[in-house]
């Protein structure tokens, strides 16, 4: 669905040297953008087509005598019949009627005769590669010549007449050969140059001709068509090679001419008819270079026209017709490299250059208006989605349509149509609600009375634009020296705009017309009308620049934006003209009119909101595919674009999203707000660029673009383009494929936006409809504004939906998951933020200062103290309870309502199956009562049986869960009904139910509770059964220990309580909760068991106390103390064992040994001196302290060496990673695309790195033991190494950070520093100052070395993170474990420090 329009045009004139001189043939120089003409006076003219050089002309007269006195090249009676440009030689080849082949070099003005052919030259055609030249002679011969003018072959193209026939002048049909009306010959090459086609000079007695296909290499006839009445020699081969187009005379059968298409094998494949009467003659056919458009030069009695045809969906459309009055000969050509540039000229030297572009045929309100000759196909896409040539209705005009303009502001819709005969037609549409009545109709129109508007030649209006339902603006182009042609326009109501900077390519005249409809005839409602329109007044403004596009301001009436030839944009006000106010002043009027980087044929201003203010944003798309806005490029590979507008909650429809397609066949949905305030940057995608965010600041504060700002959808068919969008709740994106059919997609982002708009406006029915239609998660209805807000609006929700089946679907779909934080997290919607914050007693959005709004109602949710309603687990229960309450109170009774209520109970979390079964049981009782008493039971009247309700409940829930719920009601009859309806085997449940029926009631309830794992209820029921079942109670509590507390509460008898407490103590003892078990035993006076519990828990004080309560003898206490002493040593508590040995066992020496094991040096000395064993103890303590100090010195020395090796290894691994990252960056690879192992391919062959494989290296840790035995030190080191992750694997991805972590873990802990200080103190007391000095020196060196290494490593990591150069392995740098490190050396003795 697209129309073809002229967006720029220019004119040039060839200054002919004689009045009767006419232009005959032409040739194009693509490289230098020149066109050459040969005239009837044998003069060759050259003109440059560049806008800045159109006045430059080059001429050479082949009939004049040369400067050297040589005779002229051509005689006066000779005539140029062929002309072509040879790119390789940069020269023109000229063929004449006498057979001369003349080479003309324009740069040097040299002329040379390179050959002569007999019979004269009919036409010249060079191959696409320029290597071969085909010359058609008057004797019916085809000569194939090289660039060296060697003849490769010569064949006859008129196989019906031989050479003698031509020379004798008598043809097979009896007509003179040299003066035959079929003397024109057309040669056309296929795009790849392998074949060429000829047409002309071949006719039989009936005047029929053949189209012939020839092979390039040998000149062999490849194929020929059936004899056909071809018209003139109008024929051209499609550059893509698919078809050959030829004009046929079908006036006898169809009363019009036609164009037929032939394949390479000569078979005809399709045709179409030319609009016009029987006198229409097709003189020329030309394909543009991309085979998309076919131009036909048609001559009528009073005018000639150039018709531009396009093919789509198996139909040929006439998209443009340009009429030229009079009988002047007209010619046409396409630019060989620019497919949308057309060149036409008259025989008297007027050259007209037109640049075309495709424009979307979808206008306001998604109305498609497609031009097809004299017809306009109108289709409202929101009513009927049909592709052309089908349409909803058809409007027929008096001549071919050139341009259309549509407006639908307010209730009035008008269509303005510019016709090829220079007239204007206006069609008034009825209200869109009545367009259904127009389906299939064809309406014929009348033209507008021009009034003071004068129709002139070449004065067609371009860029028709409605400023108001009765004011229309257009533009006409003329050159500066042709302004006098428009003297009729420049009257008392004209104005001239000051000089613009839009280029010096002629003058544009803006024509503003005010229309009035004087239709006195009564128009039936729902019908079109076009009569009575008159131009009331007009105003003309002259701009010294070309106009590329005009677009109405969507915010205000009677204002438009005009784009000049260089991309600048100016404002036009009705009855005021061009607005030349400073940019600062106009910026206050909601737009800054910033132009484009290059001219954009496609320009669309849109209304957007900027911080609550309505402004205009102007988008443009240039021919290179650059989508621009405000002087910035959004996408450099755009192929089509459109806008989506959502008017949810707003008075005026405002654009919210930009949708565009790219050359990579991607459809991208971008948020307008981010484009207006964000940045644009590009990421390489395939062979082009596609935006992934926004990087260059456009306006406002720079914001970080969050993930999911736009969607990228892969278009399933290559080349499909975006043609339109249906706004509002429809949220439909319409694509048209290359073959012409329409496809509609619904981007998830736009659908969610439409749902959000419906929820904001409280249009719940529309929201549910969209959710069901597009299969959106139902939870968005609750989660978008928060479930608390939905609970407040539940009544309105149920009332507006008014469809219980839809409510049931909604209830079944509810989940605790917040889809706005999970499923739709990456899709940003208005009025929704990922985080809701609580302010006082209200819930606010994190980006606003006002409470959350649901429609026009402000929802305020009170947060009661101690009642946290924001818990996610409350969502399903709260919503379903609110819906159920509304259903019960506001909806009339019906089977659907009752089933919906059942659904709310079954879908609750957890399911309220028992409540549902109670309702079903009640309905069953009502049924029975109504049957027995013949009383109307309400539900029975509604034909809802309990069995149907039960089946519905079973369909919603697991049958086993419903059966268990029925059992939980202790209703065996109901359980049997559930089992039967769930299709259980009676052999499975009947024996069980019969067994339950035979039990006493408490025992039955106990059995059911045990089966359902309701142990608290089971304990209560079995306890109620009597003392005979106490043993079962006890077994139940033992199997479920949580019931012990309940059992104590139920049983008040002292004996039973003692049994329960003892059983509870046994359970606690089995779980190694010894202290609690001992307390339970003490409560029952089981002191022996309590003593065992205390001993097992290592509680020696409580155990010895319990021994006193048991009144043990002295020997028994001593034995117990010895046993406790050994047990504490085994538990690693030598200090505690020393207290028992000294206090209860009276073993002083043993106590001292245990203190030395516990590294309590000073305490050991104190005990020794207390019991007069000072010298002996002093010697023992001295030996142990010296041994421990020597071991620590050795370990510190090894630790210093290991720290150096770890740091060196870390620096080597880091350097290797940085070098590899730099190399990858130079190669253009992202670090994330490289495997982790690539960063760690470093050699681990560093001598002495035994720490990677041996546990000894870890002894350099700061948690060094000061024990007198090495085994205890090594045990602690192995334990610490296990905690810290074990070995460091050389070459592994995490090696670099494992090294840093290991260096950090080698710090001297506060406990180690304290033990070290105590050891140094003991050594000084014992007189070992030298040993203490040496130990302090090595410990200080180790600590300084370790701290320096850690600081070095951490500084380098911090530098990388600050510079942003850290690779993927640096992402966990912030998570490195930071151990407590004291900057002060508080453990050192100053007297031991070196001077």
């Amino acid at each position: 669905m697209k129309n073809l329009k002229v967006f720029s045009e220019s004119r040039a004139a060839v200054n002919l040297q004689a009045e009767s001189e006419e232009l005959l043939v032409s040739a194009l120089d693509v490289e230098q953008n020149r066109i050459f003409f040969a005239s009837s006076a044998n003069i060759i003219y050259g003109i440059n087509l560049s806008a800045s050089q159109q006045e430059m002309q080059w001429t050479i007269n082949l009939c004049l005598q040369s400067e050297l006195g040589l005779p002229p090249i051509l005689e006066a009676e000779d005539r140029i019949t062929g002309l072509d440009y040879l790119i390789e030689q940069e020269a023109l080849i000229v063929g004449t009627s006498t057979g001369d082949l003349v080479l003309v070099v324009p740069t040097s003005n040299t002329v040379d005769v390179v050959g002569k052919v007999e019979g004269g030259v009919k036409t010249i055609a060079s191959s696409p590669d320029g290597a071969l030249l085909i010359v058609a002679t008057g004797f019916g011969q085809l000569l194939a010549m090289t660039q060296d003018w060697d003849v490769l072959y010569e064949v006859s193209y008129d196989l019906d007449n031989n050479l003698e026939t031509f020379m004798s002048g008598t043809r097979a049909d009896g007509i003179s050969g040299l003066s035959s009306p079929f003397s024109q010959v057309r040669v056309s090459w296929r795009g790849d140059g392998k074949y060429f086609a000829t047409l002309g000079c071949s006719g039989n007695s009936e005047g029929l001709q053949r189209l012939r296909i020839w092979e390039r290499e040998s000149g062999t006839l490849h194929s020929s068509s059936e004899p056909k009445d071809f018209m003139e020699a109008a024929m051209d081969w499609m550059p893509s090679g698919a078809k050959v187009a030829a004009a046929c005379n079908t006036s006898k059968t169809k009363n019009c001419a036609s164009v037929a298409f032939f394949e390479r094998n000569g078979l005809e494949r399709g045709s179409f008819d030319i609009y016009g009467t029987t006198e229409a003659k097709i003189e020329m056919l030309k394909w543009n270079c991309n085979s998309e458009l076919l131009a036909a030069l048609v001559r009528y009695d009073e005018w000639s026209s150039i018709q531009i045809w396009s093919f789509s969906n198996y139909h040929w459309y006439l998209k443009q017709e340009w009429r030229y009055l009079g009988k002047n000969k007209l010619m046409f050509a396409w630019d060989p490299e620019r497919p949308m540039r057309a060149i036409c000229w008259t025989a008297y030297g007027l050259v007209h250059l037109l640049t075309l572009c495709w424009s979307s045929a979808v206008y306001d309100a998604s109305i498609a208006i497609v031009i097809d000759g004299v017809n306009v196909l109108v289709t409202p896409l929101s009513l009927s989605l049909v592709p052309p040539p089908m349409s909803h209705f058809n409007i027929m005009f008096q001549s071919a349509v050139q341009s259309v303009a549509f407006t639908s502001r307010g209730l009035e819709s008008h269509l303005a149509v510019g016709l090829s005969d220079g007239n204007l037609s206006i069609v008034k549409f009825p209200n869109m609600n009545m367009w259904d009545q127009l389906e299939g109709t064809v309406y014929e129109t009348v033209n507008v009375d021009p009034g003071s508007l004068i129709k002139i030649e070449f004065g067609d209006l371009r860029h028709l634009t409605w400023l108001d339902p009765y004011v229309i603006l257009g533009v006409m182009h003329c050159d500066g020296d042709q302004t006098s042609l428009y003297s009729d326009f420049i009257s008392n109501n004209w104005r001239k705009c000051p000089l613009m900077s839009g280029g010096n390519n002629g003058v544009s005249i803006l024509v503003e017309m005010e229309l009035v409809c004087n239709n006195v005839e009564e128009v039936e409602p729902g019908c079109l009308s076009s009569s009575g329109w008159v131009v009331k007044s007009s105003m003309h403004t002259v701009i010294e620049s070309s106009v590329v596009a005009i677009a109405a301001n969507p915010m205000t009436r009677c204002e438009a934006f005009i784009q000049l030839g260089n991309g600048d944009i100016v404002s036009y006000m009705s009855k005021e003209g061009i607005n030349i106010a400073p940019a600062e002043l106009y910026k206050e009027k909601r737009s800054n009119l910033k132009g484009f980087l290059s001219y954009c044929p496609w320009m669309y201003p849109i209304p957007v909101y900027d911080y609550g203010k309505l402004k205009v944003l102007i988008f443009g798309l240039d021919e290179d595919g650059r989508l621009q806005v405000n002087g910035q490029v959004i996408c450099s590979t755009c192929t089509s674009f459109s806008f989506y507008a959502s008017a949810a909650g707003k008075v005026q429809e405002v654009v919210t999203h930009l949708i565009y397609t790219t050359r990579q066949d991607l459809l991208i949905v971008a948020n307008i707000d981010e484009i207006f305030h964000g940045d644009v940057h590009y990421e390489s995608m395939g062979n082009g660029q596609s935006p992934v965010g926004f990087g260059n600041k456009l306006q406002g504060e720079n914001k970080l673009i969050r993930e999911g700002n736009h969607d990228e959808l892969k278009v399933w068919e290559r080349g499909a383009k975006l043609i339109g969008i249906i706004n509002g709740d429809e949220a439909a994106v319409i694509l048209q494929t290359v073959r012409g059919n329409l496809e509609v997609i619904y981007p998830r982002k736009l659908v969610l936006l439409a749902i959000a708009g419906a929820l904001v406006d409280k249009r719940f029915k529309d929201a549910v409809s969209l959710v069901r239609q597009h299969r959106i998660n139902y939870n968005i209805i609750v989660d978008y504004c928060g479930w608390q807000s939905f609970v407040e609006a539940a009544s309105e929700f149920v009332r507006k939906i008014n469809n219980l089946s839809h409510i049931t679907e909604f209830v079944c779909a509810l989940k605790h998951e917040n889809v706005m934080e999970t499923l739709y997290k990456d899709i940003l919607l208005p009025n929704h933020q990922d985080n809701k914050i609580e302010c006082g007693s209200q819930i606010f959005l994190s980006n606003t200062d006002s409470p959350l709004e649901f429609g026009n109602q402000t929802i305020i949710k009170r947060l009661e103290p101690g009642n946290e309603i924001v818990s996610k687990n409350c969502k399903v229960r709260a919503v379903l309870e609110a819906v159920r309450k509304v259903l019960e109170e506001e909806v009339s009774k019906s089977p659907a309502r009752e089933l919906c209520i059942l659904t709310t109970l079954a879908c609750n979390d957890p399911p309220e199956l028992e409540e549902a079964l109670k309702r079903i049981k009640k309905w069953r009782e009502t049924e029975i009562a109504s049957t027995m008493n013949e009383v109307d039971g309400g539900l029975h009247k509604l034909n809802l049986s309990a069995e149907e309700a039960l089946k519905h409940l079973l369909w919603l829930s697991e049958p086993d869960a419903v059966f268990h719920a029925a059992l939980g009601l202790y209703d065996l009859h109901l359980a049997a009904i559930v089992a039967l309806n769930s299709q259980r085997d009676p052999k499975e449940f009947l024996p069980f139910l019969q067994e339950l029926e035979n039990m006493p009631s408490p025992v039955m309830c106990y059995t059911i509770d045990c089966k359902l794992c309701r142990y608290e209820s089971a304990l209560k029921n079995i306890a109620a059964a009597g003392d005979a079942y106490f043993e079962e109670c006890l077994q139940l509590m033992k199997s479920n220990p949580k019931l012990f507390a309940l059992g104590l509460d139920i049983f008040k008898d002292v004996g039973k309580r003692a049994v329960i407490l003892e059983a509870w103590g046994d359970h606690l003892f089995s779980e190694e909760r010894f202290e609690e078990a001992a307390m339970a035993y003490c409560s029952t006076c089981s002191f022996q068991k309590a003593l065992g519990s205390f001993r097992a828990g290592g509680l020696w004080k409580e155990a010895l106390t319990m021994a006193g309560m048991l009144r043990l003898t002295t020997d028994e206490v001593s034995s117990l103390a010895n046993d406790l002493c050994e047990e504490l040593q085994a538990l690693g508590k030598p200090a505690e064992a020393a207290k028992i040995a000294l206090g209860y066992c009276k073993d002083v020496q043993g106590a001292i040994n245990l203190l030395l094991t516990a590294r309590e040096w000073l305490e050991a000395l104190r005990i020794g001196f207390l019991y007069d064993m000072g010298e002996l103890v002093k010697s023992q303590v001295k030996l142990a302290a010296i041994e421990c100090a020597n071991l620590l010195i050795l370990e510190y020395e090894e630790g210093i060496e290991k720290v150096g090796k770890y740091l060196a290894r870390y620096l080597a691994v880091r350097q290797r990673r940085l070098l590899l990252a730099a190399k990858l960056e130079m190669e253009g690879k992202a670090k994330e695309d490289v495997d982790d192992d690539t960063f760690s391919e470093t050699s681990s062959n560093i001598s002495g790195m035994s720490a990677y494989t041996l546990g000894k290296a870890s002894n350099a840790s700061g948690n060094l033991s000061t024990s007198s035995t090495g085994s205890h030190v090594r045990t602690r080191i192995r334990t610490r190494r296990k905690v810290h992750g074990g070995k460091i694997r050389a070459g592994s991805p995490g090696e670099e950070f494992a090294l840093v972590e290991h260096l950090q873990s080698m710090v001297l802990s506060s406990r180690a520093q304290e033990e070290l200080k105590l050891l140094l103190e003991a050594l000084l007391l014992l007189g070992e100052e030298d040993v203490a000095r040496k130990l302090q020196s090595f410990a200080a060196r180790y600590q300084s070395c370790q701290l320096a290494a850690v600081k070095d490593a951490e500084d380098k990591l911090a530098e990388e993170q600050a510079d942003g150069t850290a690779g993927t392995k640096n992402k966990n740098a912030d998570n490195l474990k930071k151990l407590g490190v004291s900057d002060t050396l508080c453990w050192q003795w100053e007297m031991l420090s070196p001077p």
Side-chain angles (χ1 to χ4, degrees), residues 662-868:
T662 68
R663 294 172 188 164
Q664 293 79 32
D665 294 318
L666 293 175
L667 185 138
I668 298 177
V669 181
N671 196 319
I672 287 291
D673 185 62
E674 297 294 350
I675 295 176
F676 196 62
H677 301 291
D679 292 9
V680 181
H681 67 274
Y682 297 92
E683 179 182 40
S684 178
M685 298 184 63
N687 297 326
Q689 302 290 330
S690 179
V692 296
F694 302 93
N696 294 325
K697 188 175 179 182
L698 296 182
Q699 184 176 349
E701 296 182 358
N702 190 8
K703 301 195 301 182
L704 292 178
I705 304 305
R706 294 160 288 189
E707 183 181 2
N709 174 58
H710 62 274
D711 290 344
E712 291 186 1
L713 306 177
K714 184 66 177 179
V715 180
W716 62 94
E717 185 162 341
R718 186 175 182 180
K721 292 186 178 181
L722 176 64
I723 63 168
I725 291 177
I726 302 179
N727 296 320
D729 290 347
E730 190 68 21
V733 175
I734 305 172
L735 298 173
Q736 187 169 30
T737 62
V738 176
R739 61 180 181 271
N741 62 307
L742 299 181
E743 301 288 348
V744 180
I745 63 174
Y746 300 88
R748 182 56 53 91
K749 188 170 187 177
L750 299 186
V751 171
L752 293 176
L753 184 65
I755 295 173
L759 292 175
V760 169
D761 294 341
K762 301 181 74 173
R763 293 182 288 111
F764 294 113
K765 187 173 183 178
D766 295 336
V768 171
S769 177
L770 288 170
V771 167
R772 298 180 74 251
Q773 178 182 355
H774 299 286
R775 298 183 178 181
I776 304 297
N777 194 309
Y778 264 107
N779 286 270
I780 192 175
I781 298 176
V782 176
D783 296 336
Y784 179 69
C785 292
W787 64 263
Q788 300 92 339
S789 302
F790 181 85
V791 168
E792 298 288 341
S795 175
E796 189 172 359
F797 172 79
V798 174
R799 186 175 65 256
K800 288 187 175 181
I801 295 299
N802 196 26
N803 189 317
L804 292 173
S805 62
H806 292 176
I807 296 177
T808 302
E809 290 181 15
F810 164 76
V811 169
C812 294
L814 278 182
K815 302 293 180 186
H816 282 301
E817 173 192 9
N818 188 342
V819 295
M820 298 308 300
E821 296 178 355
T822 56
L823 188 59
Y824 306 126
K825 179 181 179 181
D826 294 338
I827 302 178
L828 301 181
L829 296 177
N831 297 332
H832 176 269
Q833 296 294 327
D834 293 336
N835 300 315
K836 289 180 182 177
I837 60 176
E838 300 166 13
C839 287
S841 61
Q842 300 178 2
I843 295 179
F844 291 88
L845 294 177
S846 59
N847 68 333
T848 63
D849 295 327
S850 58
L852 179 65
E853 293 186 358
F854 208 120
N856 298 323
Q857 178 183 1
T858 300
I859 303 301
I860 300 178
K861 193 67 178 179
R862 300 292 176 180
L863 297 179
E864 300 295 340
N867 181 21
E868 299 296 335

Side-chain angles (χ1 to χ4, degrees), residues 856-882:
N856 298 323
Q857 178 183 1
T858 300
I859 303 301
I860 300 178
K861 193 67 178 179
R862 300 292 176 180
L863 297 179
E864 300 295 340
N867 181 21
E868 299 296 335
I869 64 170
V870 295
S871 173
K872 293 184 178 180
N873 295 331
C874 297
K875 169 188 167 182
V876 174
R877 177 173 291 277
V879 171
L880 292 187
E881 287 181 357

Side-chain angles (χ1 to χ4, degrees), residues 1309-1324:
S1309 65
S1310 57
R1311 173 66 183 276
Q1313 294 180 31
E1314 182 181 354
E1315 292 179 355
L1316 182 58
K1317 184 175 182 179
L1318 293 175
L1319 178 59
L1320 291 172
E1321 184 179 358
L1323 290 172
L1324 290 175

